[in-house]
Amino acid sequence: MKLFRLVTFVFVSVGILAMTAGEGAGTSAEATAMWDDQGPGADLTSDLAGGLPFRCVGPALTSGRISAITIDPRDSKVWYVCAAAGGMWKTSDGGTSFKCMTDNIGSFCMGSVALDPKNPDIVWLGTGEQQSQRSVDFGDGIYKSMDGGKTWKNMGLVTSEHIARIRIDPRNTDVVYVASVGPLWNGGGERGVYKTTDGGKTWKASLTISENTGVVDLVIDSQNPDNLYAAAFQRRRHTGCCISGGPESGIYRTHDGGTTWTKITKGIPTSNMGRIALEISPQNTNTVYAQISAMQGSGFYRSDDKGVTWAQTSTGGGGANMYYGDIYADPHK
């Protein structure tokens, strides 16, 4: 069997799509013959490219999801990519090649990754995917790298099992917030929002709701990093069912760096809520967005007064509670 020839690719939520040609790839036989006739050094012509359909080259199994991606702000060709069940990968050439950076740490299931805004060579990695399917694996806490992912040190929160978000204070490298959704198959563990002020040497619980409710999303105000918003998610999976929401789910905000939190009630659903996604507008941090799944009132919500009051702007959407929930605001407008 000939080797598949990778031409280009794109990330999707469950893996990577690639344009390939070769026997067994389900591609055009004519395209393969044209390539062979022209030789390995031949230019990629429009006729040849027309016979190269996209095909998934992996991950392709249920647990093969891509759970998080972040890009080095200094160099758009440097990406850090978290696989739900396959480690954290890095590319330095815009995706032409990847290297697994986590073969020597204690977890293969990744949930979140963040780069220090002041020094992007400092990488924080949260283990344990934040989804709620039966195929989800757990992690062993949070890791820190000082050299772009070459070496790692476990910085604690070992019983968090599933770390959904990591946010770093842009003013201070040592101040880091972690959103832990917590164990999926049992209660307890380190769940909620945790904060370190010494670069991960010690952690303090900033927001704790209950043994069955953790935090699945966390956003920080880039203009005033003492303002943060957290999405609490009441969830629990059992052999025969999955509890994806309840009265303890909701949105919390703090304006003092996590010392105190207030649960938001004005304008959001009053029924039991499930998974909630959050985002702050980079252009105007008074504006906060939320995608809310609820028994009544599911939809997209917006606040223009730093989360004090909210208005629903659309209905429905959000998908199943156990799956993805992310919002990305346009950084330019």
Side-chain angles (χ1 to χ4, degrees):
M1 180 179 292
K2 298 185 177 72
L3 292 176
F4 299 155
R5 300 162 176 121
L6 181 63
V7 179
T8 187
F9 68 89
V10 292
F11 275 106
V12 293
S13 63
V14 294
I16 301 173
L17 293 178
M19 293 184 71
T20 58
E23 294 178 2
T27 57
S28 168
E30 292 81 2
T32 303
M34 288 175 62
W35 191 306
D36 291 340
D37 291 343
Q38 295 177 26
D43 293 336
L44 181 63
T45 65
S46 59
D47 289 339
L48 179 60
L52 300 174
F54 278 104
R55 152 181 103 82
C56 184
V57 296
L61 300 177
T62 303
S63 296
R65 297 172 292 273
I66 300 301
S67 55
I69 299 175
T70 193
I71 298 174
D72 192 324
R74 302 166 303 182
D75 185 350
S76 61
K77 296 188 295 297
V78 177
W79 310 349
Y80 296 83
V81 181
C82 289
M88 195 278 289
W89 298 72
K90 181 179 180 179
T91 176
S92 299
D93 52 19
T96 301
S97 62
F98 284 87
K99 180 180 180 181
C100 185
M101 310 300 291
T102 54
D103 284 340
N104 297 317
I105 72 170
S107 178
F108 65 88
C109 181
M110 304 300 159
S112 55
V113 61
L115 307 182
D116 188 328
K118 298 186 74 172
N119 179 7
D121 287 330
I122 300 177
V123 186
W124 289 87
L125 180 64
T127 64
E129 189 191 9
Q130 65 270 40
Q131 319 309 338
S132 303
Q133 300 93 310
R134 287 179 294 272
S135 59
V136 167
D137 293 293
F138 61 88
D140 65 341
I142 189 167
Y143 286 82
K144 181 180 181 181
S145 173
M146 301 294 293
D147 52 14
K150 296 177 183 177
T151 60
W152 298 92
K153 182 178 180 181
N154 188 300
M155 304 305 293
L157 302 180
V158 176
T159 64
S160 60
E161 294 198 11
H162 301 275
I163 293 178
R165 291 286 185 268
I166 303 167
R167 302 299 183 188
I168 304 164
D169 190 324
R171 303 166 301 186
N172 188 340
T173 292
D174 289 334
V175 177
V176 181
Y177 300 86
V178 169
S180 168
V181 68
L184 175 61
W185 292 89
N186 58 277
E190 293 165 304
R191 69 175 76 215
V193 177
Y194 286 81
K195 179 181 180 180
T196 180
T197 57
D198 54 16
K201 296 177 183 177
T202 60
W203 296 89
K204 181 179 180 180
S206 174
L207 174 62
T208 301
I209 296 118
S210 80
E211 66 174 0
N212 292 310
T213 301
V215 173
V216 73
D217 208 349
L218 181 71
V219 291
I220 187 170
D221 185 335
S222 60
Q223 296 179 10
N224 183 358
D226 289 331
N227 298 332
L228 295 98
Y229 305 83
F233 185 26
Q234 184 175 351
R235 69 161 192 177
R236 183 75 175 275
R237 180 170 278 285
H238 298 275
T239 303
C241 70
C242 181
I243 300 169
S244 294
E248 293 180 353
S249 295
I251 303 174
Y252 290 78
R253 65 186 178 95
T254 178
H255 294 317
D256 54 16
T259 301
T260 59
W261 293 84
T262 302
K263 189 174 184 178
I264 292 168
T265 59
K266 295 182 179 179
I268 64 172
T270 57
S271 64
N272 288 350
M273 288 183 284
R275 186 164 182 162
I276 301 169
L278 298 172
E279 177 66 305
I280 300 175
S281 169
Q283 292 295 311
N284 180 3
T285 58
N286 289 328
T287 299
V288 188
Y289 303 104
Q291 176 67 47
I292 301 175
S293 176
M295 293 291 292
Q296 296 178 341
S298 290
F300 198 84
Y301 288 76
R302 172 175 175 154
S303 170
D304 290 307
D305 55 9
K306 293 188 178 294
V308 177
T309 60
W310 295 74
Q312 186 174 9
T313 60
S314 69
T315 60
N321 274 331
M322 68 180 69
Y323 293 106
Y324 302 91
D326 299 288
I327 303 171
Y328 296 95
D330 191 320
H332 304 295
K333 59 182 178 179

